[in-house]
């Protein structure tokens, strides 16, 4: 399961950079999709290059695309992790981590999260840091990523930094096969493939004998990237569930 889950990480990294570019575009009276198509061609991971070349030819490299909906559909045909929206607010979601008790077990729900506002990002990672500290000392820690569909990996990694060893967290590959390592060192998370750097107050190291990470069918994108960072901790094991509702009670 681990091998299958993490094999796609390099692909996801490049795709997220393209998504951020498309969502940040401002619509004008004369809608122009050409910069997005060019960025996808240059930076995106294309699942089927022959099909993408056909899309480019049929749309005259984006000149014939007339709406955000059409653009988003074509981007998803290239790679299902890429899409376009007219306003970045459409993809913001601010649910915060929380501590849950179920069947006498305590675990931390780590939800998907996306916001460009650094103050809201800080709320997320500080809440997650506080919950980890609250759970310690204990021999076992359970983290629930079952319904985490992604968003931004940076606040998730910062929130879990107390249990993620410093060093190279993962290495992403662009669509030319070039490697881009991402590192964590004393509270500084380096940038990589369009993902921004982040500097935060490094939390005190916490040690758990067993760390179980619950994943499910919805675990994707930035959540998988965070799991790649967690995988560097030798005490982490992964458990798959087909029913994320089991871990979502208040």
């Amino acid at each position: 399961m681990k091998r299958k889950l993490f094999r796609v990480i390099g692909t996801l990294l490049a795709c997220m950079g393209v998504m951020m570019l498309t969502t940040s575009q401002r619509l004008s009276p004369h809608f122009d999709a050409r910069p997005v198509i060019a960025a996808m061609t240059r930076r995106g991971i294309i699942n089927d290059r022959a099909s993408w070349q056909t899309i480019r030819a049929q749309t005259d490299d984006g000149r014939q695309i007339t709406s955000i909906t059409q653009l988003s559909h074509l981007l998803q045909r290239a790679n299902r992790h890429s899409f376009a929206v007219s306003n970045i607010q459409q993809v913001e979601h601010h649910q915060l981590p929380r501590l849950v008790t179920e069947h006498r077990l305590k675990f931390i729900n780590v939800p998907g999260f996306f916001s460009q506002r650094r103050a809201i990002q800080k709320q997320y990672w500080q809440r997650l840091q506080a919950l980890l500290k609250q759970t310690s000392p204990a021999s076992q820690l359970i983290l629930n990523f079952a319904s985490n569909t992604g968003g931004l990996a940076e606040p998730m990694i910062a929130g879990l930094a107390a249990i993620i060893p410093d060093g190279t967290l993962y290495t992403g590959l662009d669509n030319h096969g070039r490697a881009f390592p991402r590192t964590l060192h004393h509270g500084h998370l380096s940038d990589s493939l369009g993902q921004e750097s982040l500097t935060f107050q490094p939390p005190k190291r916490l040690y758990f004998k067993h760390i179980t990470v619950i994943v499910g069918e919805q675990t994707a994108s930035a959540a998988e990237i965070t799991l790649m960072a967690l995988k560097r901790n030798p005490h982490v094991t992964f458990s798959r569930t087909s029913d994320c509702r089991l871990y979502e009670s208040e």
Side-chain angles (χ1 to χ4, degrees):
M1 180 265 168
K2 289 184 191 176
R3 210 172 279 171
K4 182 178 179 183
L5 182 65
F6 297 119
R7 199 163 41 206
V8 296
I9 294 298
T11 299
L12 295 176
L13 293 180
C15 294
M16 288 178 64
V18 173
M19 188 200 78
M20 289 299 295
L21 185 148
T22 58
T23 54
S24 65
Q25 287 216 52
R26 292 290 183 181
L27 291 178
S28 66
H30 304 288
F31 178 66
D32 187 0
R34 289 177 298 171
V36 177
I37 298 300
M40 188 67 177
T41 302
R42 185 175 65 255
R43 296 169 54 192
I45 299 297
I46 311 299
N47 292 335
D48 185 339
R49 288 199 167 274
S51 176
W52 181 246
Q53 292 303 324
T54 300
I55 289 172
R56 291 180 60 193
Q58 290 176 343
T59 64
D60 191 13
D61 279 331
R63 292 176 178 84
Q64 303 303 317
I65 298 175
T66 59
S67 70
I68 281 287
T69 300
Q70 182 188 10
L71 173 60
S72 189
H73 174 70
L74 294 175
L75 291 174
Q76 288 183 323
R77 282 175 57 186
N79 188 294
R80 67 186 182 90
H81 292 279
S82 297
F83 59 92
V85 292
S86 59
N87 190 312
I88 195 67
Q89 300 300 323
Q90 293 177 240
V91 293
E92 291 220 358
H93 48 286
H94 304 155
Q95 186 178 356
L96 296 178
R98 57 191 175 88
L99 186 64
V100 175
T101 301
E102 181 75 14
H103 303 301
R104 297 183 181 179
L105 289 176
K106 289 185 177 181
F107 55 90
I108 297 174
N109 273 339
V110 185
F113 173 87
F114 181 83
S115 176
Q116 288 191 311
R117 289 175 283 179
R118 187 53 56 89
I120 297 179
Q121 294 176 16
K122 189 174 182 179
Q123 288 179 9
Y124 185 98
W125 83 64
Q126 287 186 336
R127 170 70 67 84
L128 191 46
Q129 288 178 355
L131 291 179
L132 280 182
K133 188 175 180 180
Q134 180 180 337
T135 307
S136 180
S139 61
Q140 178 167 314
L141 171 67
I142 303 175
L143 300 173
N144 176 30
F145 280 78
S147 60
N148 187 325
T149 56
L152 286 181
E154 292 80 6
M156 299 179 200
I157 293 173
L160 296 169
I163 57 172
I164 298 176
D166 278 359
T168 299
L169 302 185
Y170 51 81
T171 299
L173 299 176
D174 68 7
N175 59 358
H176 300 290
R178 293 173 298 196
F180 292 85
R182 195 169 208 197
T183 61
L184 177 66
H185 183 69
H186 292 318
H188 178 74
L189 182 62
S190 67
D191 59 357
S192 177
L193 282 177
Q195 297 180 321
E196 295 183 356
S197 63
L198 177 66
T199 300
F200 55 94
Q201 181 65 37
K204 181 181 178 181
R205 289 285 173 196
L206 297 175
Y207 298 93
F208 297 87
K209 188 174 182 180
H210 303 288
I211 302 174
T212 301
V213 180
I214 301 168
V215 300
E217 292 297 329
Q218 296 184 48
T219 308
S221 192
E224 291 176 291
I225 291 171
T226 305
L227 299 188
M228 179 64 95
L230 279 169
K231 186 173 180 284
R232 298 188 68 252
N233 187 320
H235 299 285
V236 168
T237 58
F238 296 89
S239 176
R240 192 174 188 87
T241 177
S242 59
D243 186 5
C244 66
R245 293 172 300 176
L246 182 65
Y247 303 97
E248 290 298 320
S249 56
E250 295 291 341

